[in-house]
Amino acid sequence: MKPMTEHEIRSAFVNCSKGEAKRLHVPRDLTELPWDDLDFLGWRDPQAPDRAYLAAQLDGRTVGVALRSSGAASWQARRSICSLCVTTHTGGVSLLVAPLAGTAGKQGNSVGAYMCTDLACSLYVRGKREVGTRLHESLTLEEKIRRTVDNLAAFLAKVTA
Ligand SMILES: [Zn+2]
């Protein structure tokens, strides 16, 4: 993806207030990120471990989404699969919940999905970050990347519907 600036990221959030978007944690090392290897930027707030964020460029438009960890963990500590990149982790997948954009979100509606806890899906897909076990798949790298992007686009479509 194309490198994003802090301003671009903060302006892109669709499911939190402008004030929150202004205050939320954005990675400081934006210029040093491996943008060529990223299909989307996902990060966590080191001060608030239950908060996560992602920003993606879809159809030329940047979309940012604020997420919360559901907190429930017990059985998820076992093997689970990220719904975006389809990587299998032991204890490395979280149920993340996004308030819906607009009025629906203000009324408390949200949508959840299992995602890599560190939101580094792009790196797992490319084998740049290791996992304990990897499902053998006959897909090419391009196909895996496209699947991740499609899954992400479907999730973002639910948030912004
Ligand atoms: Zn993932």
Side-chain angles (χ1 to χ4, degrees):
M1 68 189 293
K2 278 187 282 175
M4 293 188 287
T5 63
E6 180 177 338
H7 176 75
E8 185 181 354
I9 293 170
R10 290 193 191 282
S11 319
F13 279 92
V14 295
N15 67 340
C16 64
S17 71
K18 285 211 167 69
E20 284 171 79
K22 210 178 274 180
R23 290 188 304 271
L24 61 81
H25 172 82
V26 169
R28 288 217 184 88
D29 54 353
L30 285 174
T31 55
E32 288 155 39
L33 295 179
W35 293 101
D36 287 345
D37 287 330
L38 296 181
D39 305 310
F40 67 92
L41 178 63
W43 70 97
R44 289 195 162 249
D45 183 343
Q47 308 295 328
D50 65 322
R51 296 192 188 209
Y53 305 95
L54 62 84
Q57 291 153 348
L58 292 176
D59 303 326
R61 181 170 157 248
T62 306
V63 178
V65 171
L67 303 154
R68 289 283 180 103
S69 287
S70 74
S74 54
W75 66 267
Q76 295 159 26
R78 286 183 237 151
R79 275 173 111 206
S80 17
I81 295 181
C82 171
S83 67
L84 300 182
C85 65
V86 200
T87 298
T88 310
H89 294 274
T90 304
V93 173
S94 304
L95 177 58
L96 293 174
V97 175
L100 296 186
T103 317
K106 290 198 183 83
Q107 290 167 350
N109 297 298
S110 61
V111 57
Y114 287 94
M115 298 181 197
C116 295
T117 299
D118 57 7
L119 293 151
C121 299
S122 313
L123 301 180
Y124 291 116
V125 165
R126 288 164 178 77
K128 304 227 168 185
R129 192 168 287 187
E130 289 300 316
V131 281
T133 48
R134 181 171 293 281
L135 287 179
H136 179 75
E137 292 187 293
S138 56
L139 296 182
T140 65
L141 176 59
E142 282 67 35
E143 287 167 334
K144 287 185 196 169
I145 290 171
R146 196 176 318 137
R147 177 176 61 184
T148 304
V149 171
D150 287 348
N151 289 340
L152 177 66
F155 177 71
L156 293 177
K158 283 187 209 159
V159 175
T160 53

